Amino acid sequence: MKTIPPGSTIGILGGGQLGRMTALAAARLGYRCHIYASEADPPAALVAAAHTEAGFDDAAALDRFAQAVDVVTLEWENVPAWTVERLAERVPVRPGAGVLAVCQERVAEKRFVAGLGIGVTRFAPVPDERALPGAIAEAGLPAVMKTTRLGYDGKGQTALRDAAGAGEALDRIGGGPAILEAMVDFAFEFSVVTVRGLDGSVASFDPVENRHANHVLAETLAPAPITAAQRVEAVRIAERIAVALDLVGVLGVEMFLARDGRILVNELAPRPHNSGHWTMDACACCQFEQLVRAVCGLPLGSTTRHHDAIMTNLLGDDVLGWPAILAEPGARLHLYGKAEARPGRKMGHVNRLFPIGQRPDR
């Protein structure tokens, strides 16, 4: 195992807020970051040492990028496999193309997790409209129909409550291919952010509850209101998936706690996760520093939670409340440097910390 020492350059595919916060964490450890993104002025580039503005299909730009960095990671899992494979011929890429092959396609992801003997929602692939009757019989109704690729924060998905509306529902999300997932009677959604190092070591943050508004994460509450046994099981599930993927980096595992007590995996994200932002202020080592440590072959940091926390996303015009947040004792404000506040757009977040066991909602 070759350690990539401080002073080296980390290449990051994608220029959004996750890349920005990774670059800030890397700088604290003495690394430079080079952002590769198609935008002219992405949030991550504002805090990085270098920025390549080019498409993910630009072979010449990718080759130059590979020559300028010592390792590559990503802040967005939908980077084309070809891009990762080309870079990997020239420089280590962590996580690699094999991880993305599973996590970029929802049917493959569900089959992978189910193949490990881990619970998932009932599902069925919908390659085209002709497959709808069989998919409905397999998954059942009511259900959620999702595109198999892309789609996030509620985009690329629609509810399906009766078979008569199936064709129209498929049209609403682009006509397929799609996946049909049975709706789950769940108490709440929660997640585990886990990290796996280059040496195979694994560490996880405490499970956290996630609350949404209009399909976008609004709040994360750390820790989640689950039993000690459920906590152990949730962490075991996340770490087992990370090991099975042979992941090097950070993995966000979204789960449901069903009302009958079962834990079901919903989706995977092989990168820092929005529900892990609370770790920036409430843990000994945050998810972004853990990513840097993992991809550079450094020892993983402690995931110990020293405070309870509530993370609140600042969506759209919520960001205009920054003066009041800055005046609030104990509030930790993180802004992403985005120029335009659109409805539902993640402009920043705020972490509010509480002594262990004294979070006001508990």
Side-chain angles (χ1 to χ4, degrees):
M1 184 184 78
K2 182 182 178 183
T3 298
I4 297 171
S8 303
T9 300
I10 301 169
I12 300 177
L13 299 177
Q17 64 264 21
L18 300 180
R20 178 188 179 95
M21 289 182 276
T22 300
L24 290 170
R28 288 196 300 271
L29 294 180
Y31 292 91
R32 298 177 177 86
C33 285
H34 185 151
I35 306 301
Y36 190 103
S38 59
E39 302 93 339
D41 196 23
L46 301 177
V47 299
H51 169 215
T52 292
E53 180 188 350
F56 287 125
D57 59 351
D58 189 329
L62 288 168
D63 291 348
R64 290 192 298 271
F65 177 69
Q67 292 174 353
V69 302
D70 298 290
V71 65
V72 173
T73 190
L74 51 92
E75 64 110 50
W76 185 59
E77 64 268 35
N78 289 305
V79 175
W82 177 86
T83 301
V84 173
E85 290 164 357
R86 186 174 186 94
L87 288 171
E89 293 173 356
R90 296 158 175 81
V91 66
V93 181
R94 300 165 182 155
V99 175
L100 299 188
V102 173
C103 297
Q104 286 181 344
E105 210 276 345
R106 288 190 170 94
V107 174
E109 183 176 273
K110 281 283 195 296
R111 287 173 172 163
F112 181 86
V113 174
L116 297 175
I118 295 169
V120 298
T121 56
R122 292 196 317 276
F123 71 95
V126 187
D128 52 41
E129 189 168 359
R130 291 172 298 176
L132 280 170
I136 291 170
E138 186 174 353
L141 293 176
V144 178
M145 191 179 296
K146 302 177 181 179
T147 56
T148 57
R149 293 182 179 271
L150 301 174
Y152 61 95
D153 290 343
K155 300 178 179 67
Q157 68 180 56
T158 188
L160 179 62
R161 300 191 179 278
D162 61 79
E168 182 183 343
L170 188 62
D171 288 342
R172 282 199 299 270
I173 62 169
I179 183 173
L180 193 66
E181 300 179 1
M183 287 188 180
V184 178
D185 182 20
F186 62 90
F188 54 84
E189 180 187 301
F190 71 106
S191 59
V192 175
V193 172
T194 192
V195 55
R196 183 168 181 266
L198 190 57
D199 63 355
S201 58
V202 181
S204 296
F205 295 99
D206 283 332
V208 294
E209 180 184 354
N210 298 318
R211 298 178 178 178
H212 294 77
N214 298 319
H215 304 289
V216 180
L217 181 63
E219 280 190 338
T220 291
L221 287 74
I226 56 179
T227 67
Q230 289 168 336
R231 179 196 178 283
V232 169
E233 176 66 6
V235 169
R236 184 194 68 82
I237 286 170
E239 293 184 351
R240 187 175 177 198
I241 294 171
V243 170
L245 285 170
D246 195 24
L247 173 104
V248 176
V250 171
L251 179 71
V253 183
E254 298 176 7
M255 307 181 190
F256 295 124
L257 180 65
R259 295 194 185 278
D260 60 10
R262 291 176 301 150
I263 293 176
L264 303 175
V265 170
N266 181 27
E267 293 187 353
L268 309 178
R271 47 148 174 91
H273 197 262
N274 195 170
S275 71
H277 291 355
W278 66 278
T279 65
M280 297 174 73
D281 297 300
C283 291
C285 181
C286 75
Q287 65 168 342
F288 300 102
E289 182 177 325
Q290 295 281 34
L291 176 60
V292 173
R293 288 172 177 250
V295 302
C296 292
L298 308 180
L300 299 183
S302 169
T303 55
T304 300
R305 172 176 53 86
H306 53 72
H307 279 80
D308 289 354
I310 298 176
M311 187 285 299
T312 303
N313 270 334
L314 301 177
L315 305 175
D317 286 343
D318 291 348
V319 73
L320 301 179
W322 63 263
I325 296 171
L326 286 178
E328 181 183 336
R332 272 73 165 179
L333 179 64
H334 301 267
L335 298 180
Y336 303 155
K338 297 180 180 179
E340 182 185 359
R342 299 191 297 268
R345 191 183 194 194
K346 295 171 183 172
M347 302 298 295
H349 71 271
V350 56
N351 288 329
R352 294 178 172 91
L353 306 185
F354 309 91
I356 299 292
Q358 296 183 35
R359 202 177 65 212
D361 65 296
R362 299 186 72 178

